[in-house]
Amino acid sequence: MMTEIQLKKDELSPGRILLEETFHVLTKKNSVFRVRLTRNGLSLIKETDNQIKETLISTRDIIGCRCLRSKKETSTCSCQSLPRATMNAVEENSGEQDDSDVSAYLYIYAYIMQSNKGVPMKRERTIITLRFRSFDKYEDNNKEAQRWRMVIKELIKGDQVDNIPSGLNHNEQKKLLVLCNPKSGPGRGRAIFQQKIVPILQEAEIAYDLHMTKYANYAREFVRTCNISQWSGIVVVGGDGIIFEAINGMFERPDWSEVIKNVPIGVIPGGSGNGLARSIAHVAGEPYLCNTTLPSALSLVRNNFEPMDIVRVETKSQIVFSFLSVGWGFLSDIDIESERLRMLGGQRFTIWSLARLIGLRNYRGKVWYIPANDTPVHKAKENKKGDNIEIPAEINLETQSARQRLDSWYSAASKRSAYYSITANSSYQSTADSGPQEESGSRMYGPASKLPCLTAEVPSTWKCIDGRFIMVHASYPSHLSEDVLFVPNAKLDDGIIWLNVIKADTSRAQLLQFLLGLSNGTHINPETQDSGSILMLPVRAFRIEPDMSESGYITVDGEHVEYGPIQGELFPGLVRVMVP
Ligand SMILES: Nc1ncnc2c1ncn2[C@@H]1O[C@H](COP(=O)(O)OP(=O)(O)OP(=O)(O)O)[C@@H](O)[C@H]1O
């Protein structure tokens, strides 16, 4: 029979004990831990004669938990000692379970922040194994383990739940749609998803439908035409190009206004730029370079969605929705011309920057803009302090045994335990079929512009810079790519387009200094601002009108668009993205 735990409102205060149990350390029978679950997290409390030591594993660091049971030994040799990392726990009805062990095992997966002097450095994976064996029957022990599992899952979701069922089937959640570009960056999209993301989705018991993209614009068409309400969110594995496709596919749907509210976008970096993935980790204060996919993986399992600004971009022939940048000149030249070095991944940008610096070009045109009024002072989120506690990669605890087992238990918690397939209803869409589909009457919906259209004259209230430019680059999030920190203080939804204008009279030395500063955000400093040649203007809208007697490149989110007039208009917080 299903029982329910009633959590009253006052029981939801952060420090209130929700569940508590005494466990023994597996290897030291006399070592006793009290394990306590509160909204703050999981407390491991060790009481000795004269002192109490407590370690808290924060709810924020716990991503999931699973109930498993002991695996039948397959070895025929009774004297063989299996290595510690061997998988020893299985799903309860797998057919491989050891029926003589009535214990239920709760595996709790946490990624704990390691800090150095308050600065978050990296997250370490830790598994806490709780073995429930107080009862004579597996069913009773399992019921107890499931009770813990359900409460932990509710805490992770962060819902203000006051009614937590202890039912065993808690998988009514919708699946994620995963769109993976096997050709992005150095072509590792599929491997990144399978090796780095799937294990974490399994630990969090999140099911997904995986679709490999088959050609350029596949993701855009897929998102535009699919029955999107069946998924809880869209996860894109690849570079900024495939994110651009997914976002624009959303805006090409007649139901776009509902979809952007209800379907958050997750981003797994697999491309050569990965500007948005880095920007999301940056605002969340998550270390990135030590493990570029972990912040994204955590964002998929944490149920934390934040609004993100979108810029509606109009060119002579199309309207698109941009999340990263609009560029003309130097950086766009690098983006497009370095395509031939795609196999080098992110390094292609550095190599081509040097080439372009030697053969420096400039372009004639006009730049119009509406300044952002009352520009708020934005600060990137303070780096969140990690708990900075020494916790081993495995913690194995068990309740008092109802009867003493004769055989000894060796740990089932191991790095490899992350690779069981528990999300049995996850699916995989084969790539081996049809080619590109016909564009079937696609039209752009999305919010209407409040500005004069591109063919109309610019109102006299707009400001104008007329001249020759090395580049004009409008950017909204913090990072243009993994290693270009373009606007250090930008938030995802601060309502500002940062318009960087580099005039033709900028010297090579100034430009080199600017380029070198891009990696750590020091490219704009009082010196560059005073020179008047390099500007960083906060704006709400802009129009670029290149002189059409010359040719060059214009990019939107790193994608090549036609050379000619282009106009951008900011829509604050229009879409929602998954944030760790
Ligand atoms: N199966 C495929 N074969 C060829 N091209 C594809 C396929 N799937 C998607 N594409 C195209 O590949 C382009 C580039 O992909 P993506 O943005 O993922 O990687 P990237 O260009 O290496 O990274 P970044 O945009 O961050 O520089 C996308 O614009 C998309 O249209």
Side-chain angles (χ1 to χ4, degrees), residues 180-186 212-219 237-243 245 270-275 335 339 342 348-349 557-559:
C180 176
N181 180 0
K183 298 285 161 74
S184 60
M212 306 303 293
T213 60
K214 299 167 192 171
Y215 44 82
N217 274 326
Y218 176 94
V237 187
D240 293 318
I242 194 96
I243 304 167
E245 285 193 14
S272 39
N274 305 321
D335 223 346
E339 274 286 325
R342 168 170 292 275
R348 70 177 164 115
F349 300 120
D557 296 352
E559 302 298 305

XYZ file of all heavy atoms in Angstrom, residues 180-186 212-219 237-243 245 270-275 335 339 342 348-349 557-559, ligand 1:
297
model
N 21.605 16.703 -31.135
C 23.069 16.620 -31.071
C 23.647 16.753 -32.482
O 23.259 16.017 -33.399
C 23.441 15.272 -30.453
S 25.200 14.974 -30.411
N 24.573 17.688 -32.635
C 25.228 17.879 -33.937
C 26.521 17.059 -33.977
O 27.505 17.424 -33.328
C 25.536 19.371 -34.137
C 26.213 19.629 -35.473
O 26.459 18.704 -36.250
N 26.515 20.893 -35.743
N 26.537 15.951 -34.737
C 27.745 15.118 -34.756
C 28.899 15.805 -35.470
O 30.039 15.372 -35.366
C 27.302 13.865 -35.520
C 26.153 14.315 -36.369
C 25.493 15.451 -35.648
N 28.598 16.879 -36.201
C 29.639 17.544 -36.998
C 30.154 18.825 -36.338
O 30.983 19.520 -36.913
C 29.080 17.892 -38.392
C 28.665 16.685 -39.195
C 29.901 15.973 -39.719
C 29.648 14.548 -40.125
N 28.954 14.324 -41.330
N 29.674 19.171 -35.153
C 30.095 20.454 -34.580
C 31.543 20.375 -34.105
O 32.029 19.306 -33.729
C 29.189 20.854 -33.415
O 29.247 19.880 -32.433
N 32.204 21.551 -34.124
C 33.590 21.649 -33.666
C 34.438 20.573 -34.297
O 34.362 20.309 -35.494
N 35.269 19.896 -33.463
C 36.102 18.834 -34.030
C 35.332 17.519 -34.231
O 35.932 16.453 -34.320
C 37.226 18.698 -33.000
C 36.761 19.392 -31.767
C 35.550 20.202 -32.072
N 20.054 12.860 -33.592
C 21.287 13.382 -34.188
C 20.882 14.250 -35.382
O 20.034 13.835 -36.181
C 22.184 12.231 -34.682
C 22.511 11.180 -33.635
S 23.305 11.821 -32.159
C 24.879 12.341 -32.817
N 21.483 15.434 -35.504
C 21.150 16.256 -36.678
C 21.819 15.638 -37.904
O 22.902 15.059 -37.806
C 21.604 17.714 -36.491
O 23.014 17.733 -36.306
C 20.930 18.356 -35.291
N 21.141 15.766 -39.051
C 21.623 15.046 -40.242
C 22.185 15.965 -41.296
O 22.859 15.530 -42.216
C 20.473 14.229 -40.838
C 19.944 13.205 -39.860
C 18.626 12.629 -40.326
C 17.998 11.843 -39.192
N 16.644 11.448 -39.497
N 21.884 17.233 -41.197
C 22.372 18.200 -42.191
C 22.148 19.595 -41.614
O 21.442 19.756 -40.613
C 21.629 18.032 -43.525
C 20.141 17.856 -43.372
C 19.301 18.959 -43.193
C 19.568 16.581 -43.355
C 17.946 18.791 -43.020
C 18.207 16.419 -43.176
C 17.393 17.536 -43.017
O 16.040 17.374 -42.834
N 22.730 20.607 -42.252
C 22.533 21.987 -41.799
C 21.047 22.308 -41.842
O 20.345 21.932 -42.784
C 23.314 22.933 -42.697
N 20.565 22.956 -40.821
C 19.156 23.361 -40.664
C 18.206 22.245 -40.244
O 17.005 22.472 -40.136
C 18.614 24.044 -41.930
C 18.930 25.513 -41.888
O 18.933 26.116 -40.805
N 19.240 26.107 -43.018
N 18.751 21.058 -39.979
C 17.912 19.956 -39.484
C 17.270 20.349 -38.145
O 16.065 20.185 -37.931
C 18.761 18.698 -39.316
C 18.018 17.516 -38.729
C 17.431 16.566 -39.554
C 17.906 17.355 -37.349
C 16.742 15.494 -39.016
C 17.224 16.286 -36.808
C 16.645 15.351 -37.643
O 15.964 14.295 -37.117
N 18.082 20.893 -37.236
C 17.575 21.232 -35.901
C 16.494 22.304 -35.991
O 15.484 22.261 -35.289
C 18.725 21.703 -35.008
N 23.323 19.903 -28.254
C 24.725 19.519 -28.087
C 25.466 19.970 -29.337
O 25.205 19.454 -30.431
C 24.889 17.991 -27.911
C 26.334 17.652 -27.557
C 23.921 17.453 -26.878
N 26.350 20.933 -29.194
C 27.072 21.441 -30.350
C 27.597 22.825 -30.078
O 27.833 23.194 -28.930
N 27.716 23.590 -31.167
C 28.235 24.948 -31.014
C 27.108 25.963 -31.062
O 25.922 25.608 -31.008
N 27.499 27.232 -31.196
C 26.493 28.291 -31.193
C 25.603 28.228 -32.433
O 24.466 28.696 -32.407
C 27.198 29.648 -31.077
C 27.872 29.786 -29.708
O 27.254 29.397 -28.703
O 29.023 30.234 -29.650
N 26.113 27.616 -33.512
C 25.327 27.524 -34.744
C 24.087 26.670 -34.563
O 22.993 27.012 -35.042
N 24.211 25.590 -33.860
C 23.074 24.684 -33.684
C 22.085 25.264 -32.650
O 20.876 25.072 -32.763
C 23.563 23.252 -33.339
C 22.447 22.235 -33.485
C 24.194 23.135 -32.007
C 22.488 21.567 -34.804
N 22.598 26.056 -31.715
C 21.690 26.750 -30.765
C 20.870 27.783 -31.548
O 19.665 27.939 -31.344
C 22.481 27.470 -29.655
C 23.390 26.500 -28.912
C 21.537 28.153 -28.663
C 24.424 27.187 -28.023
N 20.012 27.624 -34.582
C 18.972 26.896 -35.326
C 17.782 26.563 -34.418
O 16.631 26.758 -34.797
C 19.537 25.592 -35.894
C 20.432 25.787 -37.080
C 20.711 24.461 -37.782
O 20.011 23.475 -37.495
O 21.638 24.429 -38.603
N 29.853 21.745 -27.603
C 30.534 20.741 -28.424
C 31.105 21.369 -29.674
O 31.654 20.691 -30.518
N 30.961 22.689 -29.788
C 31.410 23.374 -31.000
C 32.797 23.958 -30.832
O 33.524 23.614 -29.898
N 33.124 24.871 -31.733
C 34.432 25.496 -31.585
C 34.329 26.831 -30.860
O 35.313 27.306 -30.319
C 35.089 25.664 -32.958
O 34.141 26.037 -33.920
N 33.150 27.457 -30.828
C 32.986 28.727 -30.139
C 32.463 28.546 -28.719
O 33.118 28.892 -27.749
N 31.252 28.028 -28.604
C 30.623 27.732 -27.307
C 30.458 28.971 -26.423
O 30.587 28.896 -25.203
C 31.408 26.663 -26.534
C 31.607 25.402 -27.349
O 30.706 24.993 -28.065
N 32.790 24.813 -27.268
N 30.165 30.118 -27.061
C 30.022 31.366 -26.307
C 28.885 31.314 -25.301
O 29.043 31.774 -24.165
N 35.791 34.784 -37.938
C 34.816 33.710 -37.764
C 34.578 32.950 -39.075
O 34.611 31.716 -39.122
C 33.492 34.339 -37.294
C 32.849 33.544 -36.196
O 33.273 32.400 -35.994
O 31.926 34.061 -35.534
N 36.812 29.176 -40.963
C 36.006 27.943 -41.115
C 36.840 26.783 -41.653
O 36.678 25.636 -41.273
C 34.843 28.185 -42.081
C 33.601 28.763 -41.432
C 32.846 27.738 -40.616
O 32.822 26.571 -41.021
O 32.302 28.101 -39.559
N 38.364 24.402 -39.168
C 37.404 23.858 -38.185
C 37.972 22.705 -37.366
O 37.697 22.583 -36.176
C 36.154 23.414 -38.960
C 35.147 22.587 -38.219
C 33.908 22.453 -39.052
N 33.238 23.737 -39.167
C 32.377 24.198 -38.270
N 32.062 23.471 -37.238
N 31.808 25.361 -38.424
N 41.320 27.748 -33.992
C 41.247 28.360 -35.327
C 41.104 29.880 -35.222
O 41.619 30.622 -36.047
C 40.107 27.752 -36.139
C 38.693 28.088 -35.680
C 37.689 27.466 -36.649
N 36.344 27.394 -36.157
C 35.317 28.068 -36.678
N 35.503 28.907 -37.658
N 34.110 27.903 -36.204
N 40.446 30.359 -34.175
C 40.235 31.805 -34.023
C 41.551 32.530 -33.747
O 41.809 33.594 -34.284
C 39.232 32.077 -32.893
C 37.875 31.446 -33.137
C 37.349 30.521 -32.258
C 37.142 31.781 -34.270
C 36.114 29.936 -32.490
C 35.895 31.202 -34.514
C 35.386 30.273 -33.618
N 25.393 35.670 -34.591
C 25.750 34.506 -33.749
C 26.802 33.633 -34.440
O 26.756 32.394 -34.362
C 24.506 33.666 -33.415
C 23.504 34.454 -32.576
O 23.843 35.563 -32.141
O 22.401 33.957 -32.351
N 27.710 34.275 -35.126
C 28.789 33.538 -35.796
C 28.393 32.963 -37.141
O 29.225 32.383 -37.839
N 27.115 33.117 -37.526
C 26.659 32.598 -38.823
C 26.692 33.721 -39.850
O 26.287 34.849 -39.560
C 25.224 32.049 -38.708
C 25.055 30.948 -37.677
C 25.873 29.711 -37.984
O 25.727 29.169 -39.088
O 26.666 29.287 -37.114
N 24.811 16.382 -39.567
C 25.293 17.546 -39.990
N 26.126 17.612 -41.040
C 26.642 18.782 -41.447
N 26.362 19.971 -40.869
C 25.539 19.974 -39.829
C 24.966 18.768 -39.325
N 24.194 19.079 -38.270
C 24.263 20.423 -38.121
N 25.065 20.967 -39.045
C 25.463 22.385 -39.223
O 26.728 22.597 -38.590
C 26.822 23.989 -38.267
C 27.861 24.231 -37.194
O 27.506 23.556 -36.067
P 27.790 24.019 -34.580
O 27.444 25.397 -34.331
O 27.143 22.977 -33.737
O 29.372 23.833 -34.446
P 30.554 24.849 -34.639
O 30.289 25.733 -35.811
O 31.771 24.049 -34.633
O 30.553 25.678 -33.302
P 30.411 27.229 -33.064
O 29.126 27.643 -33.749
O 30.325 27.378 -31.570
O 31.614 27.834 -33.665
C 25.427 24.374 -37.849
O 25.131 25.663 -38.267
C 24.533 23.356 -38.539
O 23.746 23.946 -39.538
